[in-house]
Each structure stands twice: as C-alpha cells, then as structure tokens.
Amino acid sequence: MIYFDHSSTTSVRPEVRRVYSQMLENQYGNADSLHTLGRNVHQLMEKSRENIANMLKVLPSEIIFTGCASESNSLAIIGYALANKHRGNHILVSNVEHPSVTNSVEFLKQFGFEIEYLPINERGIITPELVQSRMRKDTILVSTMHVNNEMGAINPIQEISKVVHRNPTCAYHVDCVQSFTKIDVPFHCIDLATISAHKIHGLKGSALLMKKKNIQLMPLIQGGQQEQGLRGGTENAPANIALAKTIRLALEEQAVVYDKVSKINQYLREEISKIPGSHINSKEEALPYILNISFDAITSEVLLNALDQKGICVSAKSTCSSHQRNYSSTLVAMGYSEKIATHMIRLSFGKDNTMKEAQTFIEACKEIINNYGLSL
C-alpha cells in the first residue's frame, strides 16, 4: 500500500505505542487520586506538560490537554468568546477553516456574536492588509489556520498577529494542526494554538490547546478541577504522557523529513506537468507536505476510487468534509473553476514515503487516465 494521505491521519510510531502500552499496564491510576499510584501518574503527566511547554517555549500552565483538535478549536473560540463578551462581539475567521472552527463561530451567533468571514486570495492565504481592513474596536477574536489542509497554503501568521494585537482587546487563535513539526510555529506571537497528536504519528484522541496565561476562557465541559477547571473529567493521562514523546520525536526529525518530502513533491510536480490536461493547484510556495492536483480527463471520485483499487490512498478534500459536496470549496474560493474543483485530489506526504512510491503513483495515474479518462 502507498499512503499519500498523511494530512488526514498518520500511523502511530512504535516508540509512542510502547510508552502508551506501558502507561496502560503500569500507570493506570487516576491522576487526581491522592494515593501513591495516583500521585505517580499525576507527576508523570505534569512532567509531560512541562516537557511540551519547553519544546514550544511557553509556560507549563499554558498547555491544556484535550481529546482532539476539534475540541481545542471549540474551546479556544467558544470559550474565549463567551468569557470576553463584555469586550465586544465581532469575530473574524477565514472562509476556508476546518468545520470545527466554522461550526463554532456559527454556534456563537445565537449569543449575539457577529461573524465576519475573510476571503482567501488567489494564493490561498489571508493577508495582513485584509485583516487590518476588517478590524473594528469591538473585534475580540481572529482565527485562521496556519497551513491550509487542502492546498498547503501558508498564512503569514506573524504579520497577522501584529495587526491583531494593535487592538488590545483582541486575541489571535491559530489552528496549527497541519503545520506543527513540519515548519516552525511562532508560538510567542499567538494567543491560542491548536495541535493534534494523530497528525504527527501520535495517538488519536490526543491533542492540546496552547493558551497564553493572560487569556481567559469559559469551560465547555463542566465537571471538575482538571486542566485548570477548563476541561472537567478524568484526564487521559496515558495519552497525555505519550504526547510529549510524540512531539519530541517529530521535532527532532523536522528538518530531515522536510527535505525528503520536498524532493518527492518537486518530482511529482515535474512528472504530473507532463501529463496532458493536468493541473498543479498548490502554489510553489505551499507547504511541500501537501500537493493538490487535478486532471481534466477524470473526476475526483473516479480517480480516488481507481487509485484505491491499486492500493494508493489519497483524498479528494479535507477528510472532515469528505462526505459533503462533490467539489472543493477551497479551490473555488481561490478562483479556480468548478471543473478543477470537481477533478482535484490531495496528496499529503509523511516521513516514510519514498521516491519509488511517487514513481508508482505517476505510472498509476497515466494508466487510470488512459483506461477511464474522457477524451480531451
């Protein structure tokens, strides 16, 4: 099998599996229990929080463990908005965010919040100038992803943060799910940041929200003292402990994997361009881990299914929207035609992909287009 769908999820590293298994077997106590086993688990989890904070160059108290990136996004957006409603009711988000972001801001409308969607440009990004033009005195939150999950477009978050923080009552939330451990993330200039373990060869059901100490949130899950009172319920200590190792290993090999993936991406760009009726939709400056392409002769669904039969895994859009609409709204928002938006597939690469797999993919595409493609 060739797996070119790492933006959807990744395999779990053997080292992470071992840590998790050991925790399940030997450190199964409740981290809030006062007996020895509970105290041991609590200490291990807090050490993990401290290690993660050091790697992100933030404070341990600024790391909030959650169950998934969708929860982190929801807590950041809804929690911040409800806790700071007295400061204003205007929220800015891009028009191509993950459903956990768009659904969260739509949910806030019933509480009187005004949501304004920022359009991406033809490069797939939000510009600082656009954010500046839409900022108001009552704007309390801006939320954008760092890297677009369909195109790989990289938002200039440092520049956007400067614009946002000119308003002292406004916070900046960044969904870093597709960027973290692939490119450097400037956590120092972000107020709230979302990270997911299963995108970086960690466990599903494991994520975190980085929340700067001056940021006030209203908890979405009521129940107890856990996670500074922001997430009631027994903590998933084994997953939280394994998350530190997941992050450390991914950061240690960031540069090596980036170089490897860049070469695969460039090879595919060159070879795909030689196929008649092909389009490279991801811009040259996009994150090399993601490559969005399309062929005039074959639709997304047909190509995806034909590749699947050959043991090649790709996506036709963001996985969380894979059962909605038959075209990519991101491509349409960037100004691409509906035909390209209905014929696109997304390739997303990881540390274990090889050039040989890329070559096999090219040959498979040529064969599929020859067998199933329409005459141009």
Side-chain angles (χ1 to χ4, degrees):
M1 182 186 75
I2 296 175
Y3 190 74
F4 282 166
D5 198 22
H6 288 86
S7 288
S8 296
T9 194
T10 59
S11 60
V12 180
R13 292 175 184 270
E15 304 94 325
V16 174
R17 289 202 304 269
R18 283 196 292 270
V19 169
Y20 186 60
S21 296
Q22 290 168 4
M23 293 301 105
L24 291 177
E25 184 174 352
N26 302 317
Q27 302 292 347
Y28 50 82
N30 189 321
D32 283 324
S33 296
L34 300 181
H35 48 60
T36 301
L37 184 59
R39 293 199 306 273
N40 288 342
V41 172
H42 177 78
Q43 290 172 0
L44 288 169
M45 189 171 70
E46 292 311 307
K47 183 61 177 176
S48 174
R49 193 192 309 273
E50 180 182 340
N51 289 341
I52 292 170
N54 288 337
M55 288 184 280
L56 272 57
K57 296 181 173 58
V58 300
L59 299 174
S61 61
E62 296 177 332
I63 300 298
I64 307 298
F65 291 121
T66 66
C68 62
S70 290
E71 181 191 342
S72 293
N73 283 339
S74 298
L75 176 58
I77 293 168
I78 299 173
Y80 183 83
L82 294 180
N84 294 275
K85 194 175 190 301
H86 61 285
R87 296 184 172 189
N89 71 339
H90 183 235
I91 297 174
L92 294 173
V93 297
S94 87
N95 65 343
V96 292
E97 291 298 314
H98 187 272
S100 61
V101 171
T102 54
N103 289 347
S104 290
V105 295
E106 288 296 319
F107 171 79
L108 286 170
K109 286 183 177 180
Q110 64 185 296
F111 297 97
F113 288 94
E114 181 183 347
I115 311 305
E116 185 172 353
Y117 290 96
L118 301 171
I120 57 174
N121 65 13
E122 70 281 356
R123 293 163 53 209
I125 67 169
I126 297 295
T127 65
E129 293 77 17
L130 176 62
V131 176
Q132 178 65 60
S133 70
R134 303 296 177 87
M135 290 286 290
R136 305 185 332 203
K137 289 183 178 180
D138 62 342
T139 305
I140 60 168
L141 181 65
V142 176
S143 179
T144 69
M145 56 176 61
H146 190 182
V147 169
N148 182 272
N149 52 357
E150 287 190 37
M151 300 294 289
I154 305 172
N155 276 315
I157 60 176
Q158 289 203 65
E159 290 76 12
I160 293 174
S161 73
K162 293 176 183 177
V163 172
V164 172
H165 292 137
R166 289 173 192 159
N167 182 343
T169 63
C170 191
Y172 186 30
H173 165 251
V174 180
D175 183 340
C176 299
V177 165
Q178 298 293 347
S179 63
F180 182 58
T181 75
K182 297 177 177 66
I183 55 176
D184 293 337
V185 178
F187 291 104
H188 66 277
C189 67
I190 304 172
D191 300 300
L192 297 149
T194 295
I195 291 170
S196 175
H198 81 97
K199 306 289 189 178
I200 57 173
H201 297 280
L203 302 167
K204 294 175 179 62
S206 174
L208 66 81
L209 175 67
M210 189 284 293
K211 178 194 77 69
K212 291 295 175 62
K213 63 180 180 179
N214 62 313
I215 297 295
Q216 300 298 313
L217 302 179
M218 182 175 290
L220 304 187
I221 301 175
Q222 308 293 329
Q225 63 190 353
Q226 296 86 359
E227 298 304 305
Q228 305 175 38
L230 292 175
R231 190 177 190 264
T234 302
E235 288 160 311
N236 187 357
N240 297 341
I241 293 166
L243 182 55
K245 193 173 195 72
T246 303
I247 292 173
R248 179 177 64 80
L249 293 172
L251 286 173
E252 284 177 350
E253 63 182 20
Q254 176 176 317
V256 172
V257 177
Y258 185 94
D259 182 63
K260 178 182 181 180
V261 164
S262 296
K263 292 175 181 176
I264 292 173
N265 184 298
Q266 190 58 41
Y267 167 80
L268 286 170
R269 284 175 177 270
E270 293 171 359
E271 294 303 313
I272 290 166
S273 297
K274 298 174 183 177
I275 300 175
S278 64
H279 303 272
I280 307 295
N281 303 320
S282 292
K283 305 302 182 183
E284 283 285 351
E285 67 271 18
L287 185 77
Y289 285 80
I290 296 174
L291 182 61
N292 192 298
I293 64 174
S294 57
F295 299 102
D296 288 338
I298 194 163
T299 64
S300 303
E301 184 177 2
V302 174
L303 180 55
L304 185 150
N305 290 332
L307 287 168
D308 187 39
Q309 290 177 7
K310 291 180 175 294
I312 302 174
C313 302
V314 301
S315 288
K317 58 176 65 178
S318 170
T319 311
C320 288
S321 304
S322 61
H323 297 291
Q324 302 171 10
R325 300 188 299 269
N326 63 349
Y327 67 90
S328 167
S329 57
T330 299
L331 266 71
V332 172
M334 290 175 65
Y336 285 95
S337 68
E338 186 169 322
K339 180 175 182 178
I340 287 180
T342 56
H343 287 59
M344 61 76 71
I345 60 169
R346 180 192 69 181
L347 314 179
S348 48
F349 314 112
K351 65 184 184 67
D352 297 321
N353 287 134
T354 65
M355 194 66 74
K356 176 64 175 176
E357 291 178 331
Q359 294 166 353
T360 301
F361 171 80
I362 292 297
E363 294 307 313
C365 284
K366 291 177 179 177
E367 183 179 338
I368 290 167
I369 292 171
N370 183 58
N371 293 337
Y372 303 107
L374 299 174
S375 299
L376 298 179

